[in-house]
Amino acid sequence: MSSKKRLVGVVPLGEVPEIALKVIAAHISGYFNLSVQILPPLEHPEYALDERRFQYNAGIILKAFESMRFKDYDKVIGVLNPDLFIPIFTHVFGEAKQGGKFALVSLFRLGKNPDGSSSPSSLIFERAAKVALHELGHLFNLLHCREKRCLMHFSGDIQDLDETPIYLCRYCSTFLKDRLLRLNLISSKERFR
Ligand SMILES: [Zn+2]
Ligand SMILES: [Zn+2]
């Protein structure tokens, strides 16, 4: 058993459906075998709105997180409704600083299927969990993977995301396990998927 508690924090920014947070938290604990806690909501990040693009700048939100410390948590994932961008992309489903502490997941583009029809909420939450696990992978220093059947494969659109599995390929899984062992976040006896 891991001696560490409250390892990963999941924090809503503004109003986010509680079920989305719970599904994300359950996937983090189920697939990565880490302790997770849902944190009280932070304000809607109006400060990050880009008025020309009418989207929210992921880098500015991540920077704001840096000043908030979250000292009881090793990794923190912010979940929000608005559309996110980083300057080189039209939009992103999520964003994380490679090897860092903070990541973001946006629900904005997860509600539409590739054909434009609306998705059932169960699928929206599953996609959100997938994005969260992918970003958490970056926080543990996993890079994008060429293997299509791997959670760390890059997803540019919703079709990519749906075709990406929620699990890691053997290579990434070994890398992550090694990383968590080295950080002392899991013990070698712990089961890991
Ligand atoms: Zn990525
Ligand atoms: Zn992989």
Side-chain angles (χ1 to χ4, degrees):
M1 294 292 282
S2 169
S3 55
K4 273 209 154 187
K5 286 222 167 81
R6 298 189 301 169
L7 181 65
V8 178
V10 175
V11 61
L13 301 178
E15 267 190 42
V16 175
E18 203 188 345
I19 183 90
L21 304 168
K22 286 183 174 167
V23 171
I24 289 170
H27 278 73
I28 292 169
S29 94
Y31 281 87
F32 282 10
N33 206 6
L34 298 170
S35 308
V36 192
Q37 209 170 58
I38 295 172
L39 308 185
L42 295 173
E43 278 182 2
H44 176 81
E46 207 49 44
Y47 56 86
L49 176 66
D50 182 305
E51 289 184 351
R52 268 182 322 124
R53 301 178 60 136
F54 216 72
Q55 290 174 297
Y56 288 72
N57 187 320
I60 291 178
I61 303 173
L62 289 178
K63 200 161 242 165
F65 272 26
E66 301 279 350
S67 63
M68 290 183 236
R69 288 166 51 220
F70 296 97
K71 67 176 171 54
D72 294 331
Y73 301 88
D74 294 85
K75 306 290 179 193
V76 176
I77 300 181
V79 184
L80 66 169
N81 284 315
D83 199 20
L84 287 177
F85 76 97
I86 56 173
I88 53 166
F89 286 115
T90 55
H91 68 270
V92 287
F93 296 129
E95 174 67 359
K97 193 171 158 200
Q98 187 70 27
K101 175 164 173 171
F102 302 112
L104 295 172
V105 175
S106 161
L107 304 176
F108 190 83
R109 291 177 188 264
L110 306 181
K112 286 252 186 296
N113 294 320
D115 65 4
S117 60
S118 298
S119 314
S121 49
S122 57
L123 181 55
I124 298 171
F125 300 148
E126 189 195 312
R127 286 169 179 156
K130 207 186 269 184
V131 175
L133 287 181
H134 175 99
E135 299 307 336
L136 192 55
H138 283 309
L139 296 185
F140 286 116
N141 237 339
L142 282 168
L143 297 166
H144 284 154
C145 182
R146 283 190 204 174
E147 174 58 61
K148 274 200 117 171
R149 304 298 297 162
C150 176
L151 174 68
M152 292 314 292
H153 192 77
F154 172 75
S155 297
D157 59 31
I158 205 77
Q159 189 167 351
D160 289 347
L161 186 65
D162 286 347
E163 286 168 4
T164 300
I166 200 143
Y167 49 82
L168 296 166
C169 73
R170 186 185 288 264
Y171 172 83
C172 291
S173 169
T174 305
F175 180 96
L176 180 64
K177 185 176 183 183
D178 185 62
R179 181 93 194 149
L180 296 178
L181 280 171
R182 243 188 288 175
L183 293 171
N184 239 341
L185 299 181
I186 56 171
S187 77
S188 55
K189 283 175 291 215
E190 237 165 331
R191 280 187 56 210
F192 185 81
R193 284 178 289 270

